[in-house]
Amino acid sequence: LEPFRGQVPDALFDTPFSLPATDGSGNMRDNIRTALRLLKEAGWEQRDGVMTNIATGAPMRFEILIDQPVYERATQPFIDRLRQVGIQASLRRIDTAQMQKRRQSFDYDVMPLALAFFPPPGSELRNYFGSAVAGVEGSANYMGIRNPVVDALIDKVVAARDLSSLQVATRALDRVLLWNRYAILQWGRTDAWVAYWNRFGQPKTQPTHRFGDPNGIAFPSTWWIDPAKDAALTRGGG
């Protein structure tokens, strides 16, 4: 990364990338103050409660496009927080076919997206992040990245001839992508929480199902009603 100093954020060289964190109480005043400061530096300010471009007077407004209801529970609180600083975001749900078409033609402001990669990384990275395909209909550069540093690091990944070189180049690329903040990262948990009535039993050893992803979260595939637990739950009024 040293040859690219001055072309990438300075913090990239000595600060581990981390996402904003809170104590879980819902009090985000410090984060909101930071957001307002960054927006001010970028040429935006609140006017009568509306985030407004200082130069043009235009409000900050964008649409979040989804095609699955599961995204609503993560997106709606985000929209509520944006409203607190005067940003006007809206949510629109469309069907899968429409989403595919609009994704291919880059007809969106913001949309949820999961990118899947299989080892070892290689030339497919150009289709995801390369400048040459930015704006090319049907490409997977959904964020519209046009960054010569990213292009150079992808070339290093593709040219790597041993594991050590591949790891160094890939991690450098990952760091540049993160610090340029092309995406708003979601779904960061490595586990899944399940709420259920405590009336079920499971065998000590049983097969699990990972929904097509060999590295995904494993869910038990065998459940039954445990009579003792069910009776205790019934006695408790459940």
Side-chain angles (χ1 to χ4, degrees):
L1 289 170
E2 190 60 40
F4 306 114
R5 190 179 287 273
Q7 301 179 63
V8 294
D10 292 338
L12 175 152
F13 290 95
D14 53 27
T15 306
F17 180 86
S18 62
L19 295 172
T22 72
D23 60 8
S25 67
N27 182 355
M28 299 186 181
R29 290 182 180 177
D30 290 342
N31 288 21
I32 289 174
R33 278 194 289 265
T34 299
L36 291 172
R37 175 179 58 79
L38 292 172
L39 286 162
K40 183 80 170 183
E41 293 173 1
W44 298 82
E45 67 180 7
Q46 278 189 327
R47 295 179 183 173
D48 298 324
V50 177
M51 188 58 60
T52 305
N53 187 282
I54 296 172
T56 67
M60 183 178 288
R61 180 186 296 119
F62 62 89
E63 179 182 77
I64 302 174
L65 207 62
I66 65 171
D67 63 345
Q68 300 290 336
V70 67
Y71 295 123
E72 292 182 18
R73 68 181 180 87
T75 305
Q76 193 58 56
F78 175 51
I79 291 174
D80 293 340
R81 291 296 180 185
L82 291 171
R83 191 178 296 115
Q84 284 187 287
V85 296
I87 298 174
Q88 303 170 23
S90 59
L91 183 65
R92 176 183 294 187
R93 182 179 167 190
I94 59 178
D95 62 41
T96 303
Q98 287 179 300
M99 177 65 87
Q100 182 177 357
K101 176 61 178 177
R102 294 185 65 165
R103 182 179 293 162
Q104 289 175 338
S105 59
F106 309 107
D107 183 17
Y108 50 82
D109 297 327
V110 177
M111 67 172 181
L113 181 70
L115 299 178
F117 300 92
F118 298 92
S123 59
E124 75 281 355
L125 295 173
R126 293 190 174 110
N127 191 45
Y128 285 111
F129 309 120
S131 299
V133 299
V136 176
E137 187 165 336
S139 84
N141 188 347
Y142 300 112
M143 294 167 278
I145 298 172
R146 292 179 172 88
N147 188 324
V149 177
V150 171
D151 294 335
L153 291 172
I154 292 174
D155 288 342
K156 290 182 180 295
V157 172
V158 175
R161 292 295 177 264
D162 57 74
L163 179 59
S164 177
S165 299
L166 181 66
Q167 288 176 330
V168 170
T170 305
R171 290 169 181 170
L173 173 62
D174 184 62
R175 193 180 301 184
V176 170
L177 292 171
L178 286 170
W179 275 101
N180 276 283
R181 302 184 185 276
Y182 294 115
I184 300 168
L185 303 182
Q186 292 181 305
W187 309 103
R189 297 195 63 86
T190 57
D191 53 10
W193 294 358
V194 179
Y196 60 92
W197 288 115
N198 188 22
R199 56 161 51 97
F200 302 107
Q202 301 172 10
K204 292 182 179 180
T205 303
Q206 64 169 316
T208 56
H209 184 60
R210 296 180 183 267
F211 296 99
D213 181 358
N215 299 312
I217 299 171
F219 291 90
S221 58
T222 304
W223 300 74
W224 68 82
I225 298 294
D226 182 299
K229 290 182 177 181
D230 188 55
L233 187 64
T234 302
R235 286 195 303 270

